Amino acid sequence: MMWSALLFACLTVSVKAQDPVRPYPLPDSYISTTSILNHSSYVDGLDDPQWYLDNIPFIDTPDRTTNDVYYYRASVVKRHLKYGHEGHGFTFTEFIHPVAWASKLQTIPDSAAHHIVEARWLRNQNYAKDLINLYTRGGVETISGISYTHYVHDGIYEYAQASGDEPFLLSQLQGMIQTYGLWNVTRSNTTGLYHRTPLSDAQEYSLPGYLVGGPGGGPAEAWGSWDNDYQTIWLGPETYRPDFNAYMVAGAQAISQVASLSGDDALAAQWNSTASNLYSRMRDMLWWSDENFWIDVVMHNNVRALGRQLIGYYPYRFGVGTDDDAVQGLEAGLNSEHFITEFGPTTLEQTNPYYTALKNTTYCCQWQGQSWPFSTSVYLGTLARLARDNRSTIATPELFQQAFNTYTRTNLKDGVPYTAESHYPTIDMWSGDSTNHSEHYLHSTYLDNVFTNLLGIIPTMDNTLQMHPLVPSNWTRFAVENLPYHGMLLSILYDANGSAYPAFKHSQGLSIYADGSLIHNQASLTPLSISLPTSSNTTSPARLASVQPYANILANPNSPYGLPNITSDWTFSENGDTSDNYAWKLNDGLLWYDTPAPDNFWTNNQSTTPYNILNITLPRARTMRSISLAVLDDTARSGVIACPAAIKVQGRNGTVYAERNPWTECKGNALNTVLFDTPGPDPSNSTTSVSGEGAEVTTDFLQVILSNQLRLAVALTEVQIWVPANMGPRYEAEDGLLGTFIGGFEGRKSGLNSSIVDGGVNIPAGGWAELAGVYSGMGSDGMGPGNRSLTVTGKGPGTIELGINFVGANRTVVITESTIMPIDSSLYSLWLSAVNLIFFQCTFTLAQSNNGTSTADAAGWPYKTFKTANFTPPELLVKKTGPVNDGYLFLTIFGGRPTEKSPLIMTDDNELIWNGPTNTTTSVFSVQQYRGEPVLTYWTGALFPEPLGRGYGSVYLFDKSYEQIARVTLDGSKFVAQNGQKFPTAIDLHEVFITENDTLLVTANNVTQTDLSSVGGPKDGWVTDGLIYEIDIATNKVLFEWSALAHLDQIPLNLSVYPVGTEGYTGKNQSAAWGYFHINAVSPLPGGGYLISSRYLCSAIAIDKQGDVQWILQGTNGKDFTLDPGTNFCYQHNIRAHSTPTPSDPSSLTLTMHNNFNSPSSNGTHPTTGLALSLSFHPTKRATLLHSLSNPSFPIFSTAQGSYQPLPGKNSSSSSSSSSSSSSSSSASNVLLGYGYTPQAAEFTPSSSSSTNNQQVMHATFGPAPGLTVNYRTYRFPWVGCPFYPPALALVPGEQGGTGVYMSWNGATEYAGWEVYAGIEEEEEGEGGMGLIATVKRRGFETRVGIWEGWRRVRVVAVTRNGGCGGGEEGERRASEVVSVS
């Protein structure tokens, strides 16, 4: 004892806080409740009773066994409640030990839905919500792939029906859709049904395996026959199963319901149709009409498993298969001949030849007869629903009560509450009950059966409570207290004669209390439906959802590897060699007080000293106020494990943070929280006890010293450090989940692929780290819609790849560079993979869009929607790091999966200005001058996408009112496309250039024949000729034409860097025509003539007015020019020449281009740049580098398309040409690069003193990945838009107690605000009876204002600024049509 006394001597004077009974505040502590039951009396025999007092609804019934099993099953839920990891929060396990077939954090999909519907009745809603997030946004099935079937999607909706947390439910919609889609790989294109082996349906040794597991793939012979295929019998064949398909029908119905709640009626109808169609397929193939029952059908040979299995009862539980004939079929099996036994129901009807009441092997899991709590709990849901629906004279309340009573008594072992995997149907013995594995097995429900079946609570999304009790008729009393429902705590008390529960004043009959107040009383247990009290700021689902969550920063699901970790100076070893009780088990997230199984604890038993030390290391320094220890005590079973005599917590340098000597408040088999002590000013006051949260301590290391009582030892099952959860905006990578923690990886070093290094995270090649629980900071759950800018900081060579929620496209980002990520309401998990990177931190800067509602398109990129227009432009994510030029951004969106194909005008602030024709492929959208006025121009037509990259169409011109003033065409009768097609007009998509003479320069393509033998092709080969045309806009008359193929003497075929046969274009036939030239730009050449760009010659080609070639600058070898260092280019776009004469060389030029330096067949070697070259002609032709624009920290490798636009300087007039005028100087202040096939753009300020030291001042992203969203050229121009059409108006009645008025004026740039006029009388015509009721400033593309619901007619007036569109000093006023409130 001398050592102990010395150890715990007071080294510092401190003020000790009163240690709390729980490690973090009770989330619903603000809610009042009743005091009907003595709660402690029900949980005194359970470990850690405080958890039950804080979390479970308390029940009391006349049946003692029901009570005992209920509280035991609540303890089973608690046993399996695992804290997975900071950010991920809580999850549930199925087995008491990690198993290799589990998914991420040891959740297993087949039991997850059971866990969700059980946990919805616990007061801490995060238990269920964290698990839901893990599935919809945490990548459970994306990381490890789909495994076991489940009804998680329906379970999510069932959770929300109980919690009433509609915002959380709506935030799950996209994740529900995406994870549902993962299962489409199991859907047959022939039958439309989903298939799985019985083993993957969590039901091995099922009937289908026996029907095809015999000789020759036929029925199995007697057990033990050497001719049977026991592998097939065990696993089962791929099978269309009624339970699995019912899960999918229910899941689609759930998605439809959530979509409807979100207001997306079209999406709701789509998913309702999905559910209906799948159910029709089930009826067509899985319905056994002879017996009116659902059966299995083997996939490969359509063998019908003619025999009743209990899974035939599953569909009705989910509202699937509720037809009258289905009810008749369910009734037929509800007797002792078929399913009902003393410990049933059986999983295969007893009349089936393959049924056995016993097991054929010692293998755990057999479904040809054993009674499984999993299936029984679902079966009970069906019986209860049938009884409530009054659909049957057999499936009555009495039959349900009998079945529930059987289930309750099956949950016993030797007369004591217990559950395992499976039970013999006719013997009082568990048949699946493996040591250190099956005990307290959680793959079924009981709490939910009590509340929704027995007591008949029918949760709904509206603000009502519905009940249809199915309790036995001889029950004269029961009580439920602290039942969480819709953000309230309900108490339900039934007292038939008024004499029960005398300590609580109440009325006879059935009484319902909400938050301690009586809201309903009725004399009998007849069904009821009552309205709940109106939600307020103090009691509502939103209030409960807004409570600050807490995180256990010590949990490490991959212990003993990585950080955080716990080590000890002593480890108990039973045999002197190995140990089952290492200290690393103290932070694996599993908290069990059962001994000896599971062996999930550390002990200093047999220690040679009276105290022992635990060393705790965190990934980084964290601020905390307490530490919690789950202390074991087995002295009641004559063991030697008990509470420590004393505890001291100190830092690395010996600073004492907490000391309890003696530790008299320690409770055995409970979680004990020790607050850190506040240093006291007076040594005489060292024992003063104060209340509070404990002193703040910031450290990455703790020592916990535990002293034994005499003749006893200490054992802990878990150590926890709880702090307020990080709600952003900054998230540190060290706090993330490092490595692939799924199934068999958990607890094995092979799961680790990243590590903490020098205050950061080292992510090697192929490694990844995940930050979960990332909050956007908007909405009741912190997950509102809108844009988020994400700054990523790190060091070391390489790039990182960012992903959201393990779905959709990822984003490659160079380290040390800030980037923009599209993040919508589904934000939860941010994951990063890298190559040789030390990754330091992530910081979110939140900036919600005020411009429409953000949704995600098919490629996962967010887009806008509006009430006043059917526009869906992509979100434009912009980061600025310096001054940018004035003007709007001009885009033409098309590609593989954009939501909308349209020409767009947008601001840098992600505001839509004008949305052109929808679902229209356009290209080269810009502002140019025509007849001295600015006009909009773009190409539209038929597109042949990459690798052809050509179009056949027309060019349109519009004035500032958006009225068409010209359409330019090119007679298509002499042009042939790749597939032999001809089009009415043949202008190509690559160029639209209006000259000073009001003519139009365009390109075209024609598939024709020529001799390709000189380049290894056929003599009569097929090629695509590149052509240019100058057309008079007013008359559509061709003024000049030129063909590359007609100038082979000056531009031979062997100049092409695109060999014959590349990408399959061999030239052997018309469809494989060789695109050797690929013309992509033409513009006037200063001094006369034309400048042409050939992508596959990597060349700029100058021709005179007669079409003769004057010179060729080839980017690979110079051709007619000498190339100075840095002037190489290839696969370029948007070449322009600018006159920059010098005294010594009056013909010198500056050449600008988008230097792709990549193509589909040659990419990833050179970053794409914006290139400016000086071309001198005297005394020799030479190319010299002026500047090369790129961001070396964020290289882009654009394989096709692109633009280079010199922007006007501060003192220069704005050019209206899309080329920035080929005769003007290129000495612009800034340059805008569009990356074409890669949906990004960047603005640079070129250095005046260096060709390479150039500053990127803006970066924009508007799509997820190359090819999915494409924008051929990106431009920036000033523009004044004055639409000829009136503003648009939309009314949404019922918004926030009134009517939402939405107004927009597509394309208008000069208006500043709105006037809103309204009238009460519906019979008035026009504007009669309407007066001004509101004025509002313009807010983005679409402005909203709320008005009184009594207004019946509305119009709005846009008020323009003075000038701009005319209208004099007061500006112009344009009115919408009058719209009636419907």
Side-chain angles (χ1 to χ4, degrees):
M1 290 299 294
M2 184 178 297
W3 290 354
S4 181
L6 288 173
L7 174 69
F8 290 97
C10 292
L11 301 180
T12 60
V13 178
S14 62
V15 178
K16 297 178 175 62
Q18 180 66 45
D19 292 330
V21 297
R22 60 184 68 88
Y24 51 85
L26 190 64
D28 61 359
S29 60
Y30 59 89
I31 302 179
S32 301
T33 186
T34 54
S35 56
I36 301 170
L37 304 174
N38 178 4
H39 298 173
S40 295
S41 66
Y42 294 92
V43 297
D44 276 346
L46 298 176
D47 297 326
D48 203 2
Q50 187 64 47
W51 184 88
Y52 301 93
L53 297 175
D54 291 344
N55 282 286
I56 71 168
F58 283 80
I59 75 163
D60 178 76
T61 78
D63 185 76
R64 176 65 180 273
T65 305
T66 297
N67 294 345
D68 290 346
V69 171
Y70 171 84
Y71 289 106
Y72 163 72
R73 288 299 302 252
S75 80
V76 171
V77 172
K78 180 187 181 299
R79 284 172 163 98
H80 288 276
L81 180 63
K82 172 183 179 178
Y83 194 86
H85 185 265
E86 179 181 1
H88 292 91
F90 293 97
T91 186
F92 289 88
T93 63
E94 181 177 328
F95 297 91
I96 67 174
H97 256 310
V99 294
W101 55 90
S103 297
K104 183 178 179 180
L105 301 180
Q106 280 295 304
T107 181
I108 304 181
D110 56 0
S111 57
H114 295 313
H115 301 159
I116 291 169
V117 297
E118 284 283 85
R120 64 175 171 162
W121 301 114
L122 299 178
R123 290 168 60 180
N124 188 336
Q125 297 289 294
N126 290 326
Y127 298 151
K129 290 168 72 171
D130 288 350
L131 181 58
I132 290 170
N133 277 326
L134 190 63
Y135 274 80
T136 59
R137 301 188 275 202
V140 167
E141 293 178 306
T142 309
I143 299 172
S144 55
I146 57 169
S147 55
Y148 296 99
T149 64
H150 59 75
Y151 62 95
V152 165
H153 298 91
D154 180 78
I156 293 169
Y157 188 66
E158 291 188 24
Y159 160 78
Q161 288 178 308
S163 70
D165 192 348
E166 185 174 313
F168 175 79
L169 177 64
L170 296 180
S171 75
Q172 304 301 314
L173 179 57
Q174 289 303 317
M176 291 173 72
I177 292 172
Q178 289 162 339
T179 53
Y180 188 101
L182 296 175
W183 284 91
N184 287 340
V185 297
T186 70
R187 187 170 182 265
S188 166
N189 292 329
T190 303
T191 65
L193 292 173
Y194 292 86
H195 56 86
R196 211 72 175 133
T197 66
L199 175 66
S200 295
D201 197 31
Q203 300 178 40
E204 54 266 63
Y205 284 108
S206 283
L207 183 59
Y210 285 94
L211 293 180
V212 297
E221 296 181 346
W223 185 265
S225 169
W226 288 3
D227 294 326
N228 287 337
D229 179 354
Y230 293 100
Q231 183 84 355
T232 296
I233 295 174
W234 168 47
L235 298 175
E238 287 289 334
T239 304
Y240 304 118
R241 311 208 79 197
D243 56 330
F244 178 24
N245 282 277
Y247 296 162
M248 301 306 288
V249 172
Q253 290 172 337
I255 293 171
S256 176
Q257 293 290 340
V258 181
S260 180
L261 286 172
S262 75
D264 194 334
D265 293 338
L267 185 63
Q270 172 190 333
W271 281 94
N272 184 60
S273 176
T274 297
S276 298
N277 290 338
L278 180 55
Y279 177 66
S280 296
R281 307 279 184 139
M282 288 179 63
R283 284 287 300 198
D284 290 344
M285 193 164 189
L286 304 184
W287 185 248
W288 185 14
S289 57
D290 291 349
E291 299 292 341
N292 290 327
F293 204 76
W294 297 107
I295 59 170
D296 284 332
V297 175
V298 177
M299 180 184 177
H300 73 277
N301 57 10
N302 289 338
V303 166
R304 294 168 61 78
L306 300 182
R308 293 187 182 91
Q309 300 173 84
L310 200 64
I311 57 173
Y313 285 86
Y314 286 22
Y316 200 96
R317 150 66 173 91
F318 299 102
V320 178
T322 57
D323 316 82
D324 288 340
D325 56 353
V327 174
Q328 297 167 9
L330 298 177
E331 290 177 327
L334 296 176
N335 53 59
S336 58
E337 179 184 359
H338 294 285
F339 288 106
I340 296 178
T341 63
E342 185 177 1
F343 300 99
T346 60
T347 45
L348 179 64
E349 64 179 342
Q350 299 169 81
T351 56
N352 192 284
Y354 293 109
Y355 165 81
T356 174
L358 302 176
K359 291 166 60 174
N360 293 325
T361 75
T362 58
Y363 180 75
C364 66
C365 313
Q366 300 181 32
W367 286 76
Q368 83 281 30
Q370 301 301 292
S371 171
W372 282 80
F374 162 23
S375 57
T376 301
S377 60
V378 179
Y379 161 81
L380 286 173
T382 291
L383 295 188
R385 190 166 188 155
L386 285 166
R388 284 199 309 267
D389 295 347
N390 196 26
R391 300 282 302 277
S392 170
T393 58
I394 295 175
T396 61
E398 292 73 22
L399 182 73
F400 163 77
Q401 292 155 13
Q402 174 190 333
F404 181 82
N405 184 61
T406 298
Y407 183 47
T408 297
R409 279 149 182 76
T410 302
N411 275 263
L412 300 173
K413 182 177 181 179
D414 299 327
V416 177
Y418 180 80
T419 193
E421 295 186 71
S422 62
H423 199 285
Y424 289 113
T426 58
I427 301 173
D428 190 5
M429 181 185 296
W430 289 94
S431 57
D433 191 11
S434 305
T435 302
N436 210 20
H437 178 74
S438 306
E439 301 96 332
H440 317 297
Y441 182 59
L442 187 57
H443 190 173
S444 61
T445 59
Y446 190 86
L447 277 62
D448 189 66
N449 297 103
V450 168
F451 295 125
T452 63
N453 301 164
L454 182 66
L455 301 182
I457 297 170
I458 307 170
T460 65
M461 287 305 300
D462 57 23
N463 201 40
T464 62
L465 173 68
Q466 297 181 26
M467 284 185 66
H468 190 151
L470 297 176
V471 301
S473 58
N474 61 350
W475 280 19
T476 60
R477 63 171 176 86
F478 67 81
V480 179
E481 195 162 38
N482 291 350
L483 181 76
Y485 188 77
H486 284 231
M488 306 174 183
L489 289 180
L490 300 184
S491 296
I492 304 169
L493 189 155
Y494 174 62
D495 186 354
N497 53 33
S499 60
Y501 313 108
F504 181 75
K505 185 178 179 180
H506 62 280
S507 300
Q508 185 175 338
L510 179 65
S511 300
I512 312 292
Y513 302 82
D515 297 347
S517 299
L518 180 68
I519 61 171
H520 179 76
N521 175 262
Q522 64 184 46
S524 63
L525 283 179
T526 53
L528 63 87
S529 179
I530 60 173
S531 296
L532 295 171
T534 303
S535 296
S536 67
N537 289 331
T538 57
T539 304
S540 69
R543 167 71 188 275
L544 189 59
S546 68
V547 173
Q548 167 70 55
Y550 277 69
N552 173 17
I553 62 174
L554 192 50
N556 178 2
N558 211 44
S559 287
Y561 305 105
L563 295 176
N565 71 12
I566 302 179
T567 61
S568 63
D569 64 347
W570 177 264
T571 299
F572 170 65
S573 177
E574 193 169 20
N575 59 18
D577 182 17
T578 61
S579 175
D580 292 326
N581 306 111
Y582 287 106
W584 63 263
K585 295 190 176 184
L586 296 181
N587 70 320
D588 61 0
L590 299 168
L591 200 164
W592 292 76
Y593 296 99
D594 303 88
T595 55
D599 49 16
N600 190 255
F601 59 91
W602 165 86
T603 178
N604 68 356
N605 193 15
Q606 304 288 323
S607 174
T608 58
T609 61
Y611 62 87
N612 288 102
I613 301 172
L614 297 174
N615 298 299
I616 298 173
T617 305
L618 299 171
R620 66 181 179 92
R622 303 295 295 269
T623 299
M624 62 201 78
R625 294 177 179 270
S626 65
I627 188 169
S628 301
L629 298 88
V631 180
L632 291 173
D633 186 333
D634 67 357
T635 55
R637 300 191 297 274
S638 302
V640 297
I641 302 300
C643 272
I647 180 175
K648 181 162 70 171
V649 184
Q650 62 187 27
R652 184 178 279 107
N653 60 0
T655 301
V656 177
Y657 300 140
E659 182 177 342
R660 305 291 182 266
N661 186 14
W663 193 9
T664 56
E665 295 179 350
C666 176
K667 294 181 174 62
N669 297 325
L671 187 64
N672 294 264
T673 297
V674 178
L675 295 182
F676 294 153
D677 300 331
T678 304
D682 182 0
S684 65
N685 197 33
S686 62
T687 59
T688 301
S689 177
V690 297
S691 62
E693 299 178 339
E696 279 193 352
V697 169
T698 301
T699 184
D700 64 350
F701 179 82
L702 292 173
Q703 272 194 341
V704 179
I705 308 171
L706 301 167
S707 179
N708 296 335
Q709 297 184 47
L710 286 176
R711 296 178 297 279
L712 296 173
V714 172
L716 307 178
T717 180
E718 197 74 1
V719 179
Q720 303 171 343
I721 298 176
W722 291 92
V723 302
N726 182 10
M727 306 298 286
R730 176 171 171 140
Y731 295 88
E732 303 289 345
E734 302 100 297
D735 302 338
L737 189 60
L738 309 182
T740 309
F741 299 128
I742 54 173
F745 286 133
E746 188 160 335
R748 303 182 186 180
K749 197 170 183 178
S750 59
L752 283 179
N753 52 26
S754 302
S755 56
I756 309 294
V757 179
D758 296 332
V761 176
N762 180 267
I763 310 177
W768 61 269
E770 178 192 3
L771 291 168
V774 176
Y775 292 85
S776 67
M778 301 174 186
S780 69
D781 64 345
M783 297 178 183
N787 298 331
R788 311 291 182 267
S789 60
L790 168 63
T791 300
V792 181
T793 306
K795 71 176 184 179
T799 60
I800 61 173
E801 194 173 47
L802 298 176
I804 294 292
N805 298 348
F806 299 95
V807 293
N810 304 325
R811 175 75 183 277
T812 301
V813 181
V814 175
I815 54 175
T816 74
E817 176 62 27
S818 300
T819 186
I820 305 294
M821 283 292 293
I823 298 168
D824 61 15
S825 59
S826 68
L827 172 61
Y828 166 76
S829 175
L830 167 70
W831 66 274
L832 316 104
S833 62
V835 179
N836 299 324
L837 168 71
I838 296 177
F839 179 80
F840 276 129
Q841 70 217 27
C842 293
T843 304
F844 280 89
T845 304
L846 307 179
Q848 185 178 24
S849 168
N850 189 29
N851 188 22
T853 300
S854 182
T855 316
D857 67 12
W861 188 263
Y863 62 89
K864 303 174 185 299
T865 59
F866 304 97
K867 304 290 187 185
T868 54
N870 189 27
F871 301 152
T872 54
E875 295 283 6
L876 185 64
L877 305 182
V878 176
K879 179 179 180 180
K880 298 178 184 178
T881 55
V884 301
N885 268 53
D886 295 332
Y888 302 118
L889 296 176
F890 286 67
L891 310 171
T892 53
I893 301 299
F894 60 97
R897 281 190 291 176
T899 299
E900 177 169 32
K901 296 187 294 183
S902 298
L904 303 172
I905 305 175
M906 300 187 73
T907 72
D908 292 347
D909 298 319
N910 191 34
E911 176 188 333
L912 178 66
I913 296 297
W914 182 70
N915 201 117
T918 59
N919 199 29
T920 302
T921 300
T922 56
S923 183
V924 199
F925 179 37
S926 65
V927 178
Q928 304 192 63
Q929 290 281 330
Y930 178 62
R931 293 180 173 175
E933 295 291 334
V935 295
L936 296 179
T937 62
Y938 62 72
W939 172 94
T940 183
L943 172 69
F944 287 75
E946 292 293 335
L948 293 177
R950 301 176 202 135
Y952 296 81
S954 310
V955 172
Y956 288 84
L957 281 69
F958 301 87
D959 64 17
K960 70 177 184 179
S961 71
Y962 301 97
E963 289 210 76
Q964 179 182 320
I965 58 175
R967 174 177 179 244
V968 182
T969 62
L970 182 63
D971 182 7
S973 62
K974 63 178 182 179
F975 296 88
V976 179
Q978 194 84 7
N979 56 7
Q981 279 184 282
K982 291 191 175 186
F983 295 89
T985 175
I987 295 177
D988 183 30
L989 61 83
H990 282 97
E991 189 63 86
V992 176
F993 192 107
I994 298 179
T995 71
E996 294 177 350
N997 299 319
D998 291 334
T999 61
L1000 185 69
L1001 293 180
V1002 297
T1003 60
N1005 296 278
N1006 183 46
V1007 176
T1008 186
Q1009 287 187 283
T1010 195
D1011 184 358
L1012 299 181
S1013 58
S1014 65
V1015 289
K1019 186 173 181 62
D1020 55 350
W1022 290 85
V1023 296
T1024 301
D1025 188 14
L1027 304 101
I1028 67 169
Y1029 289 84
E1030 186 171 2
I1031 304 172
D1032 181 69
I1033 295 174
T1035 64
N1036 214 55
K1037 179 181 178 181
V1038 173
L1039 305 178
F1040 177 82
E1041 65 178 294
W1042 180 88
S1043 159
L1045 207 58
H1047 293 81
L1048 289 179
D1049 57 331
Q1050 295 175 298
I1051 314 174
L1053 297 173
N1054 60 13
L1055 286 183
S1056 180
V1057 301
Y1058 187 74
V1060 173
T1062 303
E1063 297 179 294
Y1065 297 106
T1066 61
K1068 293 181 178 180
N1069 52 58
Q1070 191 177 54
S1071 62
W1074 179 42
Y1076 81 101
F1077 194 85
H1078 195 110
I1079 192 166
N1080 63 23
V1082 60
S1083 58
L1085 186 67
Y1090 305 91
L1091 181 68
I1092 298 169
S1093 173
S1094 167
R1095 177 185 181 187
Y1096 285 145
L1097 267 60
C1098 299
S1099 295
I1101 303 169
I1103 64 172
D1104 61 21
K1105 293 181 179 180
Q1106 287 70 45
D1108 292 327
V1109 175
Q1110 301 301 296
W1111 50 260
I1112 298 175
L1113 170 66
Q1114 191 166 42
T1116 55
N1117 60 24
K1119 191 65 169 70
D1120 298 335
F1121 288 77
T1122 299
L1123 297 179
D1124 281 357
T1127 59
N1128 294 96
F1129 63 89
C1130 200
Y1131 308 116
Q1132 76 292 333
H1133 286 76
N1134 201 192
I1135 284 186
R1136 296 290 189 254
H1138 314 268
S1139 178
T1140 51
T1142 67
S1144 61
D1145 189 358
S1147 59
S1148 68
L1149 301 172
T1150 293
L1151 209 66
T1152 60
M1153 71 183 76
H1154 178 84
N1155 177 24
N1156 294 75
F1157 241 157
N1158 297 269
S1159 74
S1161 60
S1162 174
N1163 62 79
T1165 303
H1166 303 288
T1168 297
T1169 63
L1171 206 58
L1173 307 179
S1174 175
L1175 300 188
S1176 60
F1177 293 85
H1178 301 290
T1180 60
K1181 295 184 177 70
R1182 178 175 293 275
T1184 304
L1185 178 65
L1186 294 177
H1187 60 242
S1188 177
L1189 305 177
S1190 67
N1191 184 349
S1193 297
F1194 189 59
I1196 296 174
F1197 301 85
S1198 181
T1199 60
Q1201 309 172 28
S1203 55
Y1204 179 113
Q1205 183 192 13
L1207 299 172
K1210 293 182 179 179
N1211 298 320
S1212 63
S1213 60
S1214 173
S1215 169
S1216 63
S1217 170
S1218 65
S1219 66
S1220 229
S1221 179
S1222 56
S1223 61
S1224 65
S1225 169
S1226 68
S1227 59
S1229 61
N1230 280 3
V1231 172
L1232 182 69
L1233 294 184
Y1235 291 95
Y1237 200 67
T1238 299
Q1240 299 176 36
E1243 189 168 324
F1244 293 85
T1245 301
S1247 171
S1248 59
S1249 60
S1250 169
S1251 62
T1252 57
N1253 187 21
N1254 306 290
Q1255 180 188 5
Q1256 179 178 294
V1257 294
M1258 186 271 287
H1259 181 270
T1261 307
F1262 39 86
L1268 295 181
T1269 299
V1270 171
N1271 177 57
Y1272 177 62
R1273 290 181 185 169
T1274 304
Y1275 288 124
R1276 183 191 288 282
F1277 295 108
W1279 173 248
V1280 173
C1282 307
F1284 71 88
Y1285 41 81
L1289 170 64
L1291 305 180
V1292 182
E1295 275 197 349
Q1296 301 175 15
T1299 298
V1301 178
Y1302 293 83
M1303 52 210 113
S1304 68
W1305 198 7
N1306 185 32
T1309 61
E1310 305 306 298
Y1311 76 98
W1314 297 91
E1315 295 174 346
V1316 182
Y1317 295 80
I1320 299 176
E1321 301 298 329
E1322 296 184 1
E1323 61 271 13
E1324 294 279 359
E1325 294 184 359
E1327 301 174 9
M1330 302 180 72
L1332 178 66
I1333 63 169
T1335 60
V1336 60
K1337 291 182 179 179
R1338 175 180 183 172
R1339 301 189 187 99
F1341 178 82
E1342 182 174 78
T1343 302
R1344 179 199 178 277
V1345 66
I1347 64 173
W1348 174 55
E1349 63 181 349
W1351 298 117
R1352 309 314 303 158
R1353 300 161 61 247
V1354 180
R1355 71 182 177 95
V1356 296
V1357 174
V1359 181
T1360 66
R1361 308 178 183 94
N1362 57 358
C1365 294
E1369 294 183 358
E1370 296 184 359
E1372 184 185 12
R1373 297 159 55 81
R1374 291 293 302 274
S1376 71
E1377 296 180 353
V1378 176
V1379 177
S1380 297
V1381 180
S1382 58

